[in-house]
Amino acid sequence: MSLLDGCSTTKMISAAISGSDMIVPLTDFEIKKGNTAEFKRYLIAQNEKLQYPICVYRFDENNYEALWMKCTHQGTELQVFGDKLQCPAHGSEFNNHGKVENGPANAPLRTFLVTIADNQLKISLK
Ligand code: FES
């Protein structure tokens, strides 16, 4: 991912929570370019009730991954760089499925069940 790519569209959204689900409209992934729709590869969804944001990766229209952006080493909030999440504290790295790619963290990120209905993602926070 280039820096320009990062600046051209906003990836931070504030998402509603309904019951025990966070709701992300699928249209939030769309980037309108004339008549063709392109899609963001990820969004960072926040809600004031959550201590950490959730990074939602889109692999295709039916496949998403929702990751808790809390480092499993000592709990620092992660930063997203394209398909990786990095920890600013001691440099741990995770891939877009939450697997550790570089320590010192040695446990995968928390993931959430994602279901798709009515043009929305429902991210189960249970
Ligand atoms: S808290 Fe993330 S690497 Fe230490």
Side-chain angles (χ1 to χ4, degrees):
M1 145 161 162
S2 71
L3 283 173
L4 280 174
D5 181 34
C7 298
S8 59
T9 56
T10 169
K11 297 197 164 70
M12 294 277 203
I13 61 161
S14 58
I17 290 181
S18 165
S20 58
D21 295 327
M22 180 178 244
I23 307 294
V24 177
L26 287 178
T27 50
D28 282 358
F29 284 91
E30 287 178 12
I31 307 168
K32 297 262 176 356
K33 283 198 180 153
N35 290 329
T36 56
E38 292 189 16
F39 296 91
K40 297 172 194 172
R41 282 187 302 169
Y42 67 87
L43 285 178
I44 297 172
Q46 297 180 303
N47 182 289
E48 61 190 9
K49 289 188 194 148
L50 298 180
Q51 215 186 338
Y52 293 83
I54 294 176
C55 185
V56 188
Y57 281 100
R58 178 188 189 277
F59 300 106
D60 64 42
E61 60 185 324
N62 297 311
N63 287 293
Y64 296 85
E65 184 84 87
L67 301 169
W68 190 228
M69 289 174 61
K70 177 182 182 179
C71 183
T72 54
H73 180 227
Q74 288 177 2
T76 300
E77 186 171 317
L78 299 172
Q79 296 172 345
V80 183
F81 295 94
D83 290 333
K84 283 191 197 311
L85 298 98
Q86 282 177 2
C87 182
H90 317 102
S92 288
E93 274 190 10
F94 303 85
N95 71 12
N96 55 16
H97 290 286
K99 266 184 63 183
V100 178
E101 296 211 321
N102 271 305
N106 58 18
L109 298 180
R110 180 177 176 195
T111 60
F112 301 92
L113 182 69
V114 179
T115 51
I116 308 169
D118 304 327
N119 266 323
Q120 293 178 328
L121 296 183
K122 290 187 180 168
I123 299 168
S124 174
L125 304 174
K126 270 185 242 173

